[in-house]
């Protein structure tokens, strides 16, 4: 029996006694159904009333060899959006004296392990979700005290009027906030399963989403089963909420399958890549709550992006560079731009004498309002950055991700308790403060012959570092002997197209040097994929000129291990 299943059964048994539900003849536990209406999911999908239960049911023999566990709501991703949805659902259960079973699967080895963001945190959604957070030891305790905005040339700094209004906001580690939210969710009865990646969407015969499947574990590179083999598990949900963050792999499939962009004439999504380090700096230079954003150097005027420097507590500073992935010059290397940035005199003087304690990278949405797809599909909804609710001018998406999760939870609760439709989630969104905040952006494609290669300086090992050193600081780790999670749709494209036409941009845009062109025995350059280094940033899924790279979830628990991001 798989680890997930054993844990679920154990949790389920221990919670069974706490359920307020009454057992029906078939052994499942329904909660009260105030309206007594028939249930309608999304676009007209109706389900039998026994589904309205707070307990899980287990079955096997699905034909795939996988066990199947049934929940009321299955949530994919324990980020701010997924955890807010889970918490809100359970709060509503308490308020209405109903019991719904809610599970969250998370591909990181623990909650927060794959969460990278800066983060200047706007507490609006947290105030609504957990209003007593100040008394409950939330790791939100460094208020923003200064807010600067600079334009940089190579050697100089020009102060600009600050376009951000961060008064009332906090400098936090989002990784730590999600850990805290995970605890809050579990206290309310949410079942969280870190280390399990949802690799597949499950559909019924009418093409309605009925849950997700976690990947089989213990498969070797050649596809054979290892001694450690365990079947994945089918997590069936009356409703499934996708909260995978930016460029979610299941979310993208759903958006495309149900044409969710076409449904509301949304533009395609655009993206930026954020590369970040956390430094421990000299006490005398540390100003908890100080926030700095910069524009300009090292990026040229054609490349959209900028840096952030956030002073957290305990002498820690979160420093990063965000570069829009629509940059024109394929010779540009975001990792090297970031290393260069730290040599600016104003930044160097801050970091000198300090130490790097963590490295990471992640993409973020840049499309804004115009790129939001219709976020409801038959059987569920998309929340948070998977749907693109990031406020681009503010560079903030945590509060909107949380709010969208809460609204989806309210919609899901009304579906499961009153038989309404999940489409109310879209109505709730449009009436909420999220809707007012979002803006739009554009995208275009690079061609190498119009550009000249960029010479980057060698890393000095003090302020700037080579990729292997940085990777060590990301704690990234994958089981080596597993099928590649980075797949080429056409394996000939790297050598036939990417290298001759675009100078092999994947060898530069990937912040983990996963893609390397190395000569074969005849001296011909061939693409080598070092998948075990992957940081799950998703840049390759977005930036490949031919959209030839498909990022799929690796074995659960693999990937970065952020703790202070
Ligand atoms: C460099 C950078 C700086 C930022 N700065 C700020 C800032 O200062 N302020 C701010 O408000 N916002 C900021 N953001 C944006 C903010 O991080 C996001 O808006 C927010 O994290 C979105 O929350 P989410 O829950 O939608 O997704 P995420 O935070 O990405 O969480 C998604 C979770 O789902 C998991 N997951 C994904 N796919 C699967 C799967 N198939 N199976 C299981 N688990 C899965 C992931 O491991 C992750 O834990 C920044 C982002 C970046 C990249
Ligand atoms: S392989 Fe892709 S997802 Fe992984 S770190 Fe490189 S660009 Fe990011």
């Amino acid at each position: 029996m798989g680890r997930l299943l054993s844990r679920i059964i154990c949790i389920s048994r221990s919670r069974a006694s706490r359920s307020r539900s009454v057992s029906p003849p078939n052994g499942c536990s329904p909660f009260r159904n105030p309206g007594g209406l028939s249930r309608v999911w999304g676009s007209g999908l109706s389900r039998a009333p026994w589904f309205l239960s707070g307990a899980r049911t287990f079955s096997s023999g699905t034909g795939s060899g996988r066990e199947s566990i049934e929940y009321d709501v299955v949530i994919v991703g324990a980020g701010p959006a997924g955890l807010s949805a889970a918490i809100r659902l359970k709060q509503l259960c308490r308020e209405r004296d109903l019991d719904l079973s809610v599970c969250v699967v998370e591909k990181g080895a623990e909650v927060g392990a794959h969460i990278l963001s800066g983060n200047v945190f706007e507490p609006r959604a947290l105030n609504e979700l957990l209003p007593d957070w100040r008394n409950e030891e939330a790791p939100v305790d460094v208020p923003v005290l200064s807010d600067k905005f600079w334009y940089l040339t190579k050697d100089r700094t020009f102060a600009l009027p600050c376009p951000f209004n961060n008064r009332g906001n906090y400098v936090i580690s989002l990784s730590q906030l999600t850990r805290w939210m995970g605890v809050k969710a579990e206290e309310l009865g949410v079942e969280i399963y870190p280390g399990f990646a949802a690799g597949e969407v499950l559909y019924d015969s009418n093409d309605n989403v009925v849950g997700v499947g976690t990947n089989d574990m213990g498969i070797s590179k050649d596809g054979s089963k290892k001694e450690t083999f365990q079947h994945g598990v089918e997590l069936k949900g009356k409703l499934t909420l996708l909260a995978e963050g930016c460029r979610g792999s299941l979310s993208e499939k759903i958006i495309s399958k149900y044409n969710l962009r076409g449904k509301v004439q949304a533009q395609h999504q655009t993206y930026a890549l954020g590369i970040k380090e956390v430094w421990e700096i000299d006490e005398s230079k540390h100003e908890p709550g100080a926030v700095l954003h910069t524009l300009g150097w090292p990026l040229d005027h054609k490349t959209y992006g900028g840096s952030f420097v956030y002073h957290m507590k305990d002498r820690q500073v979160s420093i990063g560079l965000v570069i829009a992935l629509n940059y024109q010059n394929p010779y540009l290397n975001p990792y090297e731009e970031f290393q260069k940035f730290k040599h600016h005199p104003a930044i160097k003087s801050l970091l000198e004498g300090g130490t790097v304690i963590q490295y990471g990278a992640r993409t973020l949405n840049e499309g804004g309002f115009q790129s939001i797809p219709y976020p409801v599909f038959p059987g569920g909804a998309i929340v948070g950055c998977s749907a693109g609710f990031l406020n681009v001018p503010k560079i903030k998406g945590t509060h909107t991700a949380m709010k969208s999760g809460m609204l989806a939870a309210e919609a899901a609760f009304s579906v499961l308790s009153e038989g309404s439709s999940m489409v109310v989630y879209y109505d709730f969104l449009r009436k909420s403060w999220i809707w007012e905040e979002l803006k739009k952006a554009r995208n275009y494609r690079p061609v190498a012959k119009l550009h000249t290669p960029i010479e980057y300086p060698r890393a000095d090992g003090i302020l700037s570092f080579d990729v292997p050193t940085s990777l060590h600081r990301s704690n990234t780790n994958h089981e080596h002997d597993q099928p590649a999670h980075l797949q080429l749709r056409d394996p000939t494209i790297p050598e036939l197209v990417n290298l001759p036409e675009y100078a092999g941009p994947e060898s530069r845009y990937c912040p983990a040097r996963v893609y390397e062109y190395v000569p074969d025995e005849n001296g011909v350059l061939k693409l080598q994929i070092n998948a075990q280094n992957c940081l799950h940033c998703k840049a390759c899924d977005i930036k490949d000129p031919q959209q030839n790279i498909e990022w799929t979830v690796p074995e659960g628990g693999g990937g970065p291990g952020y703790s202070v991001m």
Side-chain angles (χ1 to χ4, degrees):
M1 184 186 294
R3 273 192 289 152
L4 175 59
L5 192 64
S6 334
R7 188 168 167 206
I8 289 168
I9 289 175
C10 179
I11 289 173
S12 186
R13 283 187 184 138
S14 70
R15 286 193 182 142
S17 56
R18 282 188 261 148
S19 171
R20 288 180 293 273
S21 308
V22 179
S23 290
N26 66 0
C28 301
S29 305
F31 61 72
R32 268 186 302 128
N33 168 24
L37 304 168
S38 66
R39 275 84 201 160
V40 181
W41 277 260
S43 49
L45 171 68
S46 47
R47 303 278 174 86
W50 71 263
F51 261 110
L52 297 175
S53 81
R56 289 129 300 282
T57 53
F58 307 95
S59 60
S60 57
T62 57
S64 61
R66 296 190 294 193
E67 303 282 347
S68 171
I69 306 134
E70 285 169 355
Y71 285 88
D72 292 304
V73 183
V74 170
I75 299 174
V76 180
L83 291 172
S84 298
I87 290 171
R88 188 73 196 114
L89 267 162
K90 283 293 188 180
Q91 287 174 335
L92 288 164
C93 287
R94 288 198 171 185
E95 285 164 25
R96 300 272 295 274
D97 196 24
L98 301 176
D99 191 17
L100 296 176
S101 53
V102 180
C103 86
V104 182
V105 274
E106 165 56 50
K107 68 180 167 61
E110 54 183 341
V111 172
H114 288 185
I115 303 284
L116 172 101
S117 160
N119 180 297
V120 174
F121 178 63
E122 194 170 311
R124 191 174 185 178
L126 184 62
N127 290 339
E128 293 176 17
L129 183 68
L130 295 163
D132 209 21
W133 58 266
R134 285 181 184 80
N135 300 322
E136 295 186 12
E137 294 176 353
V140 180
D141 46 12
V142 180
V144 174
L145 294 182
S146 71
D147 206 356
K148 293 184 187 145
F149 190 48
W150 293 349
Y151 180 81
L152 303 183
T153 62
K154 189 166 184 300
D155 303 308
R156 298 188 60 191
T157 297
F158 297 91
L160 301 173
C162 187
F164 309 102
N165 178 8
N166 280 316
R167 194 175 309 134
N169 295 340
Y170 293 80
V171 178
I172 64 162
S173 154
L174 190 58
S175 172
Q176 286 172 10
L177 178 64
T178 49
R179 282 182 169 85
W180 179 83
M181 289 176 70
V183 172
K184 293 284 143 201
E186 286 197 322
E187 283 170 5
L188 285 163
V190 176
E191 295 171 20
I192 304 181
Y193 301 107
F196 291 91
E200 180 194 352
V201 179
L202 304 175
Y203 301 95
D204 68 10
S205 55
N206 295 321
D207 247 3
N208 299 300
V209 173
V210 291
V212 294
T214 69
N215 284 348
D216 288 346
M217 296 176 90
I219 299 181
S220 61
K221 266 185 186 153
D222 63 12
S224 60
K225 292 178 185 172
K226 295 190 273 188
E227 271 180 18
T228 52
F229 177 80
Q230 289 177 1
H231 275 296
V233 175
E234 291 184 352
L235 298 167
K236 298 258 183 83
K238 276 164 256 173
L239 290 171
T240 303
L241 301 181
L242 297 176
E244 300 175 279
C246 177
R247 192 76 173 192
S249 38
L250 302 186
S251 311
E252 289 299 317
K253 286 197 169 84
I254 291 279
I255 289 170
S256 156
K257 180 178 173 77
Y258 296 106
N259 189 22
L260 299 182
R261 289 197 191 289
K263 202 162 175 179
V264 287
Q265 283 88 48
Q267 291 181 1
H268 62 283
Q269 184 56 268
T270 59
Y271 302 90
L273 174 63
I275 298 184
K276 197 184 117 179
E277 287 171 353
V278 176
W279 282 67
E280 222 165 61
I281 62 164
D282 199 286
E283 183 90 61
S284 62
K285 302 175 193 171
H286 187 231
E287 301 171 61
V291 166
L292 167 69
H293 291 96
T294 75
L295 288 178
W297 194 86
L299 304 180
D300 63 28
H301 66 277
K302 289 186 197 150
T303 309
Y304 181 78
S307 83
F308 59 87
V309 181
Y310 302 154
H311 290 241
M312 304 190 282
K313 57 183 179 186
D314 302 330
R315 295 196 289 121
Q316 288 176 5
V317 170
S318 168
I319 175 165
L321 187 67
V322 174
I323 300 182
L325 280 173
N326 60 7
Y327 62 78
Q328 295 183 334
N329 186 346
Y331 291 108
L332 189 143
N333 183 322
Y335 178 85
E336 295 295 350
E337 294 291 331
F338 175 54
Q339 299 307 314
K340 209 160 126 184
F341 163 72
K342 290 180 286 172
H343 286 267
H344 189 279
I347 305 300
K348 182 177 173 178
S349 59
L350 175 76
L351 300 179
E352 264 173 347
T355 346
V356 189
I357 52 176
Q358 205 138 73
Y359 165 77
R362 181 75 170 101
T363 47
L364 52 158
N365 303 116
E366 284 223 319
F369 185 74
Q370 305 286 338
S371 300
I372 297 171
Y374 186 68
V376 181
F377 53 83
I382 309 179
V383 299
C385 276
S386 289
F389 295 124
L390 182 120
N391 183 322
V392 183
K394 279 188 181 175
I395 340 167
K396 289 188 185 65
T398 312
H399 61 303
T400 45
M402 290 176 69
K403 181 68 179 175
S404 68
M406 291 155 66
L407 295 174
E410 284 162 21
F413 189 83
S414 75
V415 170
L416 295 170
S417 63
E418 293 161 13
S420 72
S421 156
M422 204 55 206
V423 298
V424 296
Y425 168 48
Y426 193 48
D427 299 335
F428 291 171
L429 278 169
R430 283 182 300 175
K431 288 181 195 146
S432 75
W433 49 257
I434 294 183
W435 220 242
E436 296 160 17
E437 284 202 26
L438 309 169
K439 305 254 157 86
K440 71 169 182 177
R442 293 183 59 200
N443 207 357
Y444 49 91
R445 288 262 155 233
V447 177
K449 61 187 175 206
L450 302 177
H451 300 277
T452 44
I454 303 173
E455 271 297 303
Y456 287 103
R458 279 177 77 88
D460 66 0
I462 300 167
L463 292 174
S464 44
F465 307 95
D466 58 19
V467 175
T469 306
S470 293
L471 275 179
H472 182 67
R473 293 174 178 145
S474 74
N475 297 324
T476 202
N477 187 29
H478 291 86
E479 165 60 53
H480 282 238
D481 189 14
Q482 66 171 301
H485 74 281
L486 298 155
Q487 292 167 9
L488 299 179
R489 293 187 171 94
D490 178 345
T492 65
I493 283 197
E495 288 87 21
L496 292 182
V497 182
N498 284 12
L499 193 56
E501 278 188 41
Y502 302 95
E506 57 276 63
S507 61
R508 286 178 290 275
Y509 63 65
C510 171
R513 203 176 293 153
V514 166
Y515 302 96
E516 285 185 298
Y517 283 91
V518 291
D520 66 8
E521 60 280 8
N522 302 317
V524 179
L525 288 177
K526 296 275 181 206
L527 185 67
Q528 174 180 297
I529 303 181
N530 310 309
Q532 69 279 6
N533 292 349
C534 180
L535 292 172
H536 296 202
C537 79
K538 310 278 183 83
C540 53
D541 197 69
I542 297 161
K543 185 68 178 165
D544 184 74
Q546 303 291 309
Q547 293 289 287
N548 188 41
I549 299 174
E550 185 180 3
W551 192 97
T552 62
V553 285
E555 203 167 85
Y562 304 137
S563 57
V564 291
M565 296 304 237

